Amino acid sequence: MPILPILIGILHLSLAEDAKHLDGFSLPSLPSEHLIRYLNTFPKLKQQLPTNLTGKGTISSACWGHERDCTPAGRFQTPQCPGEHTGWARSKEAQVRTFYNQADFGYIQEQLSQLTPQCVPTYLGDSSLECTHYLRFCRGRNLLFDFRGLEQRGERIRYHMDVLGPGQLLGHCKLNRTRLSGEMEHIGSALQSWGPELRNFDVLPHPVLESGLCDVVVNTPTFIMKIDATYNMYHHFCDFFNLYASLFVNQSHPAAFNTDVQILIWETYPYDSPFRDTFKAFSQRPVWTLSDVEGKRVCFKNVVLPLLPRMIFGLFYNTPIIQGCSNSGLFRAFSEFILHRLQIPYKPPQQKIRITYLSRRTKYRQVLNEDELLAPLEANDKYDVQRVSYERLSFTNQLAITRNTDILIGMHGAGLTHLLFLPNWACIFELYNCEDPNCYKDLARLRGVRYRTWEQRDLVYPQDEGHHPEGGAHAKFTNYSFDVKEFVHLVDEAAEEILSHKEFPRQTSENPSKTQRNEL
């Protein structure tokens, strides 16, 4: 048996007990492979642990991939780029490197290399502000946000670019106005840049915390988020994913993964979402909105403006992906982080391939013959089939099903974002992509799971041409039936690929679970 899994297991069991010896600092709750890399990032913290726990060789060289001294062998994961390189890459090496920089920890490395001071402190206790190019990510200390004007606003605030006016964002530091103005190029929309807020940055002649201007001083490190959506899983997970990526860009202190942080959402609408439990992976505190601070001048001792969900050439939503590559370590790390932090149970597969079919309860994109499609699978001893309607379940219960699914089947829709939390060997079967071919195919490539969709157009039967609310035919606004034989054929092919996957746990059971269809 390889020594690395053994050492990881020992480390996982022992670190919780030894955390109390770390000068009063508790280690963050992270999966074992993550915790090893966390400790390697902070060697002074690692030195306080017994050497027999932290190990040598492979464990001591383990890294995420954004560190300057991280070798390809030590990376969390290396992208897979099988076959000949195509597109604009001139070599296989360039192909891998391009994908790594587009969608993996290479993107984090790029952001770190771009961090530039915009406002420099002179003395300890002064303000500071530093940002990456185009103000995608910024962090500051001892900054004053003046929210008094929000009380007079007649409308709710969301996606607004005028939340702060001149003189309503202040710091006591040496501001490089020319440099800051030069980073305003991506100010086209609220979710692309922090430019709409930072263009109003100005200098206060006295130290912020001594100025007497602070109605409230927030000592807790605060992440201010401009979020994309709350009820659409695909778009809200753009928010969560970029928040996770920002933890690495901000990873300059051992507290980088602690949950004693404040989340402030940059809108006055009450925050509500079926996916709100995901915030518990990041913060133990209730989420704030601008309504919680309006009418006050709030001074933040430590504030982060994280990566945004609709950045040009950003992560998740606008990620360009070079042809022929998949398996981003950053996306896999995000998946493992969320499942670990939310304590989602994992059950290894037994003898049968576990199939979860997502049944839609919406007006459009229903499968009119789903009973007929599922009947042959339920009768097959190779499969353990369940049909679920996720909108009827809590999000953590949804994740518990997804994490323990081998083939996830569903029509095009935001619920397929669950593919992020499938096992590494799993397959997402987008039953029909409704003429939007790249959305979930690309997300599956990023996460590193298999992807299938319907290809025989003559064997899919739309109810009608579809009627877009604003007029015209549209494939997303109708319902469908599918050829049963072709459906079973595609599922069988997906199952064969899973069984051949190198990570699929080949376990046996004397009492395999009985084939069933659970109506949840």
Side-chain angles (χ1 to χ4, degrees), residues 110-167:
E110 183 179 67
Q111 300 305 305
L112 288 167
S113 70
Q114 294 176 3
L115 270 175
T116 305
Q118 303 292 339
C119 204
V120 180
T122 301
Y123 301 105
L124 188 67
D126 282 357
S127 305
S128 67
L129 176 69
E130 59 180 342
C131 301
T132 63
H133 290 176
Y134 308 119
L135 310 178
R136 293 184 177 113
F137 171 96
C138 298
R139 60 184 176 192
R141 292 184 179 275
N142 301 324
L143 300 182
L144 186 154
F145 289 70
D146 189 347
F147 297 118
R148 290 177 297 175
L150 298 185
E151 288 186 316
Q152 283 71 52
R153 300 287 287 257
E155 78 282 358
R156 292 278 194 181
I157 293 171
R158 175 177 288 163
Y159 312 137
H160 282 57
M161 298 173 68
D162 61 348
V163 176
L164 297 177

Side-chain angles (χ1 to χ4, degrees), residues 26-163:
S26 297
L27 290 173
S29 175
L30 293 170
S32 299
E33 287 192 60
H34 299 215
L35 195 55
I36 291 165
R37 288 164 171 82
Y38 166 85
L39 289 169
N40 287 342
T41 304
F42 301 104
K44 290 185 179 179
L45 185 66
K46 181 180 176 182
Q47 289 171 6
Q48 298 180 47
L49 291 169
T51 55
N52 65 312
L53 293 181
T54 54
K56 296 181 180 181
T58 306
I59 284 184
S60 63
S61 64
C63 47
W64 291 107
H66 62 76
E67 305 91 334
R68 290 183 179 180
D69 59 348
C70 184
T71 65
R75 288 176 180 172
F76 184 69
Q77 182 169 286
T78 300
Q80 294 181 8
C81 302
E84 295 296 323
H85 60 274
T86 57
W88 60 86
R90 296 185 177 182
S91 66
K92 174 61 65 176
E93 181 183 358
Q95 183 189 23
V96 175
R97 183 173 63 250
T98 299
F99 180 85
Y100 200 74
N101 292 336
Q102 288 173 333
D104 211 321
F105 280 102
Y107 188 93
I108 305 299
Q109 186 180 64
E110 183 179 67
Q111 300 305 305
L112 288 167
S113 70
Q114 294 176 3
L115 270 175
T116 305
Q118 303 292 339
C119 204
V120 180
T122 301
Y123 301 105
L124 188 67
D126 282 357
S127 305
S128 67
L129 176 69
E130 59 180 342
C131 301
T132 63
H133 290 176
Y134 308 119
L135 310 178
R136 293 184 177 113
F137 171 96
C138 298
R139 60 184 176 192
R141 292 184 179 275
N142 301 324
L143 300 182
L144 186 154
F145 289 70
D146 189 347
F147 297 118
R148 290 177 297 175
L150 298 185
E151 288 186 316
Q152 283 71 52
R153 300 287 287 257
E155 78 282 358
R156 292 278 194 181
I157 293 171
R158 175 177 288 163
Y159 312 137
H160 282 57
M161 298 173 68
D162 61 348
V163 176

Side-chain angles (χ1 to χ4, degrees), residues 140-361:
R141 292 184 179 275
N142 301 324
L143 300 182
L144 186 154
F145 289 70
D146 189 347
F147 297 118
R148 290 177 297 175
L150 298 185
E151 288 186 316
Q152 283 71 52
R153 300 287 287 257
E155 78 282 358
R156 292 278 194 181
I157 293 171
R158 175 177 288 163
Y159 312 137
H160 282 57
M161 298 173 68
D162 61 348
V163 176
L164 297 177
Q168 292 184 327
L169 177 54
L170 301 169
H172 179 66
C173 45
K174 294 181 179 179
L175 176 62
N176 189 327
R177 294 185 186 275
T178 302
R179 177 183 291 167
L180 185 61
S181 297
E183 299 292 356
M184 297 288 175
E185 185 176 334
H186 288 183
I187 205 171
S189 77
L191 300 183
Q192 289 181 341
S193 161
W194 289 99
E197 292 71 37
L198 293 178
R199 63 185 170 186
N200 295 302
F201 192 96
D202 211 343
V203 175
L204 192 66
H206 308 290
V208 167
L209 300 180
E210 300 172 13
S211 66
L213 300 176
C214 305
D215 298 315
V216 177
V217 175
V218 179
N219 296 307
T220 305
T222 302
F223 289 82
I224 298 177
M225 296 183 64
K226 295 193 289 188
I227 61 175
D228 191 349
T230 56
Y231 275 80
N232 181 293
M233 184 179 179
Y234 179 89
H235 288 288
H236 205 5
F237 269 81
C238 294
D239 303 317
F240 294 126
F241 183 83
N242 279 283
L243 178 58
Y244 177 70
S246 297
L247 299 182
F248 290 99
V249 185
N250 191 49
Q251 192 182 203
S252 58
H253 187 276
F257 288 93
N258 283 6
T259 57
D260 188 18
V261 299
Q262 183 64 58
I263 306 290
L264 169 61
I265 296 177
W266 199 251
E267 57 187 52
T268 55
Y269 285 86
Y271 175 72
D272 184 45
S273 171
F275 316 109
R276 59 186 174 272
D277 282 347
T278 311
F279 271 123
K280 295 178 182 178
F282 299 94
S283 175
Q284 60 192 341
R285 295 170 175 266
V287 172
W288 286 356
T289 68
L290 289 176
S291 296
D292 292 293
V293 294
E294 65 180 4
K296 303 170 185 175
R297 291 169 296 188
V298 182
C299 297
F300 296 96
K301 283 192 172 182
N302 189 333
V303 64
V304 174
L305 308 179
L307 296 167
L308 292 153
R310 297 215 177 194
M311 299 177 295
I312 296 175
F313 301 129
L315 288 172
F316 199 125
Y317 179 76
N318 282 325
T319 302
I321 314 177
I322 195 169
Q323 294 179 4
C325 290
S326 63
N327 291 63
S328 163
L330 181 58
F331 275 77
R332 179 166 76 89
F334 170 73
S335 175
E336 294 174 0
F337 173 84
I338 296 296
L339 294 172
H340 176 86
R341 284 283 176 94
L342 298 183
Q343 300 181 28
I344 306 301
Y346 168 69
K347 301 175 183 177
Q350 300 298 317
Q351 286 187 329
K352 298 187 177 186
I353 297 292
R354 301 165 299 182
I355 298 175
T356 299
Y357 176 89
L358 299 183
S359 183
R360 292 177 65 89
R361 297 289 185 264

